[in-house]
Amino acid sequence: MAISLLGFAAVLILAFLRLPIAFAMGLVGTIGFAALNNWNWKSSLSPAAGTVLDTLQTESLSVIPLFILMGMLVSRAGLASDLYRASNAFLGHRKGGLSMATIVACGGFSAICGSSLATAATMSKVAMPEMRRFGYTDQLATASIAAGGTLGILIPPSVILIIYGIMTEQSIDKLFLAGIIPGTLGVLLYLAAVQWVVWRNPEAGPAGYRTRWSERLTALGQVWAIGLLFVAILGGIYLGIYTVTEAAGIGAGGALLIALFRGQLTLSSLAEALTETVKTTAMLFAVLIGAQIFQRFIVRAGMPDDLLAFVTGFDVAPLTVIFLILLVYIILGCVFESLSMLLLTVPVFAPLVAELGLFPGYEGTQAAEVSLIWFGIIVVVVTEISLITPPVGLNVFVLKGVLGDVSTGTIFKGVTPFWIADLFRLLLLVLVPTLVLVIPLSMKPFAG
Amino acid sequence: MVTADDAAWHQRLETAGRWLARLLLGLAAVTLFAMLLLTCADVIGRYLLNAPVNGKTELTRFMMAGLIAATLPVIGVTGGHISVDLFDSRFSKRGAAIRDLVTDAIAASALAVLAYWLVFRADRLMNRGYVSDFLHLPLHPMAYFVAAMVGAAALALAIKLIIDIHYIRRPELRPDDRSAVL
């Protein structure tokens, strides 16, 4: 245990010196592994190089660039403003309605985009001017964008869920399906949070115009394609018609067609979408490879086993262990970027969670699979919370970066009701795991 | 002291770097687009025409490795990697420049060592004559390409060390840190 803790400390120090997290994990992982093998460097370096070659040449990982490309194409096709207009047509006339429309549009956008920060950045350009025009307080307006943006990492297709699936060797399609209800629940609870804010202070979000039904239908007509794409992706996965890789291909191909038909795709914007995608992909693979090398080291050092023995030695209820893990995440989330946090912690906690016996109805590998699918969603929800938690809540800083004239303090203050809604959702998902598991369990036999 | 001559080589280095980066990114972008078309063709072929693309899995594997490897040298020097910027404000301009020199030197040496061992693996693939299961394509050329690109990433970072040293001497010229955004 001591050497793995030393390894974690080394990664943190290097990371705080701003060495990219991929290098920090890879370097410490390689040196640590060699140290455990009597400083036999070849035993550590040759497999590390092998990990690089294997990971780069994994066919199933092509879902990552394809889903990212889908998001890049959709955000360049001007769909964000159409989504906002459509949800505004239905919700805008209510008190706080523009904020609610922002939340719904964020949910819809993230259903295609999969990145929280991109969702927040895109939506702030679309929704903020409207909310200002109707006299919304900066607090409520910015908070609904920052919070709505966090929906991006849970509602499938989510890049973080894909990476969790790879690290824990769980099926990505089941993880995606497990994210549907918690993601929808997130939207509903955020709407309730807006309701609560305008109930407390009606001045915070005055009602906008009422839209006639004919106009509502026109607005809806602008966004049907995005809904169809979403249904085609998840429906196909649910029915087992095609694999996630194929779904990603259909998604990216569909997004390309949508962008073409809307006439908003120039050669240069396509080139930009492609190069942005390859850059994001390379960056994700770098951290993924670093994390795998680090994971090999801590498994060799026996940390997951030691932790399991340590925890079972106390004879506490499994749920208590889960709450302790969540506490660790919420604290780490205050200072750490979400993906790095996930990659550093999942190799330690996942084996523990798999063996805890959280679901007494299942046994053996099936129990492990059910636990890990459920835990994946829980981890992502905690990560979402960390995106709006002071002092580093990244979504808040992205928003500040885009808007410029609002202080982070204002945004953090406005975000509080949404933060509480998130904690409530987390509690609900921990205590009622059926919410997570009902869809994937109905799809196909587990561990079969 | 920065002379006019100094500025000239500096600029030439940057221009050359930018062209190389554009070339590599263009290569990766075209590969990605080809991979998209291949995946779609395979899906349409499989479900509508009952004729999937033969060897699609293997081609996808090579394309993935190619596009990611080609991008690595670019994101290494442009600060595209995810890093923790929590303590950025604690560093003075000169401190940040020194920190860059240290982290870039660590990253460059790590990549150089990795490139060496990638060549080792590629040699082994070649000597044992490994080929892919279905299309019987040799596996070593892609391994050598990955090794070359990791080596190029190391080299690019090593060249960036010169610029880091330049900023330690002239901290006021150093641009502000940007945080990597996912």
Side-chain angles (χ1 to χ4, degrees), chain A residues 14 105 183 221 294 304 392 405 430:
Chain A
L14 289 172
F294 187 68
V392 277
D405 57 347
V430 170

Side-chain angles (χ1 to χ4, degrees), chain B residues 55-121:
Chain B
K56 182 249 166 192
T57 306
E58 286 172 10
L59 289 175
T60 306
R61 283 173 46 183
F62 289 133
M63 286 173 163
M64 282 291 290
L67 77 91
I68 297 167
T71 315
L72 282 179
V74 182
I75 61 168
V77 281
T78 53
H81 280 297
I82 300 180
S83 56
V84 177
D85 49 10
L86 187 57
F87 298 119
D88 274 7
S89 54
R90 301 289 173 90
F91 289 97
S92 66
K93 279 235 169 200
R94 185 179 298 255
I98 294 173
R99 182 202 64 200
D100 283 352
L101 182 70
V102 174
T103 55
D104 285 342
I106 295 175
S109 0
L111 285 169
V113 172
L114 180 62
Y116 173 83
W117 284 95
L118 282 166
V119 171
F120 171 82
R121 301 287 289 210

Side-chain angles (χ1 to χ4, degrees), chain A residues 16-21 27 42 45-46 56-57 59 62 115 117 241 246 249 252 283 285-286 337 392, chain B residues 36 40 46-47 56-57 61 64-65 68 80-82 85-88 99 103 106 117 120-121 178 182:
Chain A
F16 286 148
L17 280 175
R18 222 174 194 275
L19 185 69
I21 192 89
L27 200 65
K42 190 180 170 184
L45 284 162
S46 173
L56 290 186
Q57 302 193 60
E59 191 253 353
S62 63
S115 155
L117 301 180
I241 300 177
E246 291 168 340
M283 176 194 84
F285 272 75
E337 183 272 326
V392 277
Chain B
L36 169 65
C40 290
R46 185 184 308 270
Y47 297 107
K56 182 249 166 192
T57 306
R61 283 173 46 183
M64 282 291 290
I68 297 167
H81 280 297
I82 300 180
D85 49 10
L86 187 57
F87 298 119
D88 274 7
R99 182 202 64 200
T103 55
I106 295 175
W117 284 95
F120 171 82
R121 301 287 289 210
R178 286 180 306 123
L182 178 58

